[in-house]
Amino acid sequence: MRRLVSSTTVHPGAVARVAAAAVATALLFASAACGSLSENAPGPPGGGERESTKDEKSAGGLDKVRVGAIPIVDVAPLHLGKAKGFFEEQNIDLEVVNTTGGAAAVPGVVSGDFDFAFGNVTSLIIARSQNIPLKAIANGNASTGEVGKDFGGIVVPEDSPINSAKDLAGKTVAINNLQNISDTTTRASIRKDGGDPTGVRFSELPFPEMPAAVANHRVDAAMVVEPFLTIAMDQGAKLVASNFADPAPDLTIACYFTTEEVIAEEADLTTRFTAAIEKSLAYADEHPDEAREILSTYTEIDPAVADKIVLPAWPPDVNADAVQTLADLMYEDGLIKEKFDVGDVLP
């Protein structure tokens, strides 16, 4: 496992990695992945100097691996796979470190604090377009592809005159982070429904605050993910768009990723981690009840709510065509300055 060295000994690449991590933080702060469900999730890793522990082993002789992941529904397969021993089968002693989103996960991977991390594809595309050498190694999660039955959606107050996505034109929509997958897919829903997305206004708001903001008419609408989608609906909100399902069929939302350096220098470890997470994804997809049960071990979701929420899809493969559609929309919306070939960032 890669680590920064202590201040008494400077590794030749340490300064460069710290600088790259700082750049990554600045570039991706506005494109963090979905908000945390845990009040105890830490911020970005220290980014400071740490003793080098490359090829670190656990007491049982397994390779120690640190993965940065947001404590949300999306990463249930990671925790379930650890509980099922899928990572141990690959000689990996897995430590999952809670992050607050891409703003923590990306520089954590670049600096070497994390070997791998979970992040939405929009953050990865933005990073790669800014020459940060990140690359996805496995799928993370995907839309169910079912309008009205997805794990994310746009909700409005019960008495709102907004009845479909096109009615959002000129309105204020709360999203968790500006210039992210939420606003890109919201605009896509408006376009698909025949509306004009150029006038929609976005207001940044943490997911946990969105149900109350909608109920109290503080915003016209909110783009929420589970469990907050179910919470908002239980409070009377109405669903007007399934924005993850609208841009492309079975849209890949997030991936597990690392740096090109790790892929090149620790190819065997990368291969073994990928095999373990792909097995975990398949198991979670086939055993949704166990995926719901594992949520109580790393989130604060009420078990009664966990039983009702719509789970993401967890296919083993990234949908490259759908991600390319998303990248094209990002270019159209001005999130990236040039057209982007997603083959540069996908496995």
Side-chain angles (χ1 to χ4, degrees):
M1 178 176 177
R2 303 173 305 127
R3 289 286 185 273
L4 298 182
V5 296
S6 66
S7 57
T8 56
T9 305
V10 179
H11 187 278
V15 174
R17 287 198 297 271
V18 171
V23 172
T25 301
L27 290 171
L28 295 180
F29 187 79
S31 57
C34 300
S36 168
L37 301 184
S38 170
E39 295 178 358
N40 300 317
E49 298 163 346
R50 300 178 55 152
E51 183 179 356
S52 178
T53 53
K54 183 176 173 62
D55 301 324
E56 184 179 358
K57 302 286 185 180
S58 68
L62 304 180
D63 293 321
K64 286 190 174 182
V65 170
R66 285 165 60 92
V67 177
I70 327 159
I72 55 176
V73 175
D74 309 45
V75 297
L78 180 68
H79 294 269
L80 187 55
K82 179 180 179 180
K84 289 293 180 181
F86 299 156
F87 291 91
E88 287 187 19
E89 290 174 1
Q90 296 293 335
N91 200 43
I92 290 173
D93 178 12
L94 181 68
E95 178 186 358
V96 181
V97 182
N98 287 347
T99 71
T100 54
V106 169
V109 166
V110 172
S111 69
D113 270 323
F114 302 145
D115 296 291
F116 308 100
F118 175 94
N120 74 68
V121 292
T122 301
S123 292
L124 298 183
I125 291 169
I126 291 174
R128 189 73 188 213
S129 72
Q130 299 287 349
N131 297 318
I132 299 173
L134 301 179
K135 194 169 183 68
I137 58 169
N139 190 31
N141 71 316
S143 164
T144 66
E146 296 185 53
V147 173
K149 295 182 180 180
D150 206 359
F151 76 100
I154 302 171
V155 296
V156 299
E158 185 175 15
D159 59 352
S160 173
I162 298 171
N163 294 307
S164 69
K166 66 181 178 182
D167 297 331
L168 295 169
K171 306 298 184 183
T172 299
V173 181
I175 58 174
N176 70 311
N177 287 115
L178 301 175
Q179 296 187 327
N180 203 339
I181 196 166
S182 295
D183 52 15
T184 300
T185 54
T186 295
R187 289 189 181 100
S189 288
I190 296 172
R191 286 190 188 98
K192 185 176 181 179
D193 196 37
D196 179 7
T198 58
V200 65
R201 299 182 298 273
F202 292 105
S203 174
E204 197 169 76
L205 194 67
F207 282 130
E209 298 180 20
M210 290 186 186
V214 170
N216 296 328
H217 294 263
R218 289 199 288 120
V219 292
D220 297 314
M223 192 274 119
V224 288
V225 296
E226 295 287 19
F228 308 108
L229 177 56
T230 291
I231 291 171
M233 300 284 283
D234 284 348
Q235 293 177 358
K238 62 181 180 181
L239 181 71
V240 296
S242 296
N243 56 300
F244 289 158
D246 282 338
D250 307 317
L251 177 65
T252 297
I253 305 299
C255 292
Y256 290 91
F257 67 94
T258 188
T259 63
E260 291 185 327
E261 178 186 0
V262 169
I263 293 171
E265 296 183 1
E266 301 182 38
D268 177 64
L269 176 63
T270 301
T271 298
R272 287 185 284 120
F273 176 84
T274 300
I277 193 60
E278 287 181 347
K279 185 173 182 178
S280 301
L281 290 165
Y283 189 89
D285 219 29
E286 294 168 1
H287 299 83
D289 289 343
E290 292 185 50
R292 293 179 193 277
E293 289 174 6
I294 203 72
L295 296 176
S296 64
T297 67
Y298 71 96
T299 76
E300 298 174 356
I301 299 175
D302 186 321
V305 175
D307 287 341
K308 298 170 60 177
I309 63 175
V310 176
L311 296 175
W314 290 302
D317 298 321
V318 175
N319 186 337
D321 289 341
V323 177
Q324 185 63 60
T325 297
L326 186 66
D328 294 342
L329 291 171
M330 291 170 62
Y331 173 71
E332 185 175 350
D333 292 338
L335 268 70
I336 51 178
K337 295 180 180 179
E338 298 178 352
K339 290 188 175 181
F340 184 87
D341 181 352
V342 298
D344 293 339
V345 74
L346 296 184

